Amino acid sequence: MFVFAEDRNDAKALEELISALCPQAKGRVERRTRPLILAKGAQRDALRRRAAKLAATLQVEAARGKPAACVFVHEDADAHPPADAQRVKVLTDAARQQGLRICPVVPAWEMESWWFLFPSAVAAAFPTWKQLPQSAGRDVDRLKDAKEALKRATGRRGERRYSEADAPRIAAEVRRLGEAQRTVQRNRCNQEQNRSPEGHTLTFC
């Protein structure tokens, strides 16, 4: 099982979230930051080359005795819906042309949007921060610049604020508290939207 994410913090956070949703994945996730497909603004030839490089990487791993049971490919949407769903389709199509089935991970706007869905996990990870209200998770797919929004929502004057390095710790608390499964079960996006042609994405909305 492989995770290809935009950076190491995202990769570690995704490992925790995947393990939260699928406990048997714990300890079986290989985290990578390269190669990535990165569909935003990419021309068709660039997408083809990037997807081919990803396919070649996975072929090498398979030859080493590490076949990919599932491949998660992350890219922040950096935009509101339906940009995330459109990005899912582009990533999936590019991968399919190389014979790959992937599980796209495309948060709208950024992965930090998801932390608003888990105020208890944020509070458990960083108890000195301002607590997010339980209603913070409403319409998180409509947040703009989610990282900065999270800093403002949780920061206290004169104290350290959220940084990307904090994401794995929050995700670990999401897993520990069992919040991921409950969110997926009640979230319309996982029931109705952001489906890849293969029928699988990782999203909390």
Side-chain angles (χ1 to χ4, degrees):
M1 190 174 295
F2 290 85
V3 169
F4 291 88
E6 290 188 6
D7 64 37
R8 288 179 293 178
N9 295 313
D10 290 335
K12 178 59 178 170
L14 286 173
E15 179 187 11
E16 294 286 357
L17 294 175
I18 291 164
S19 298
L21 293 169
C22 181
Q24 58 267 39
K26 185 67 176 174
R28 297 176 53 209
V29 177
E30 292 258 354
R31 304 191 304 270
R32 305 290 176 86
T33 57
R34 297 289 184 274
L36 295 174
I37 298 178
L38 294 178
K40 182 179 180 180
Q43 298 299 314
R44 184 175 300 177
D45 286 347
L47 285 170
R48 180 184 54 78
R49 288 194 302 271
R50 294 170 188 173
K53 191 170 183 179
L54 177 61
T57 297
L58 293 169
Q59 288 170 0
V60 169
E61 294 298 333
R64 292 173 175 170
K66 295 181 179 180
C70 191
V71 180
F72 296 86
V73 177
H74 164 245
E75 180 179 355
D76 287 340
D78 295 325
H80 293 138
D84 51 344
Q86 293 166 352
R87 197 77 53 84
V88 163
K89 185 179 187 308
V90 171
L91 291 171
T92 304
D93 288 348
R96 192 193 302 110
Q97 290 172 14
Q98 300 299 323
L100 292 178
R101 291 170 62 96
I102 65 171
C103 179
V105 184
V106 185
W109 185 281
E110 300 161 308
M111 195 178 297
E112 282 75 13
S113 302
W114 290 351
W115 306 145
F116 284 89
L117 292 166
F118 307 116
S120 297
V122 174
F126 297 98
T128 63
W129 289 0
K130 285 194 299 186
Q131 291 194 13
L132 295 171
Q134 292 299 315
S135 61
R138 294 176 183 170
D139 298 322
V140 294
D141 54 342
R142 296 294 172 181
L143 279 173
K144 182 177 181 180
D145 297 326
K147 191 181 287 94
E148 294 304 315
L150 186 63
K151 289 179 182 179
R152 291 192 297 270
T154 60
R156 295 184 187 277
R157 187 182 299 274
E159 294 188 10
R160 187 183 74 82
R161 297 196 173 196
Y162 172 85
S163 73
E164 293 177 0
D166 297 323
R169 186 167 167 183
I170 295 172
E173 289 298 327
V174 172
R175 176 179 57 78
R176 186 182 68 82
L177 296 173
E179 291 194 343
Q181 288 284 2
R182 291 193 293 272
T183 299
V184 167
Q185 289 167 4
R186 69 173 180 260
N187 196 303
R188 59 180 171 80
C189 294
N190 289 278
Q191 299 163 10
E192 302 172 5
Q193 301 180 31
N194 290 347
R195 298 290 185 181
S196 71
E198 283 78 11
H200 300 284
T201 66
L202 175 60
T203 184
F204 295 96
C205 266

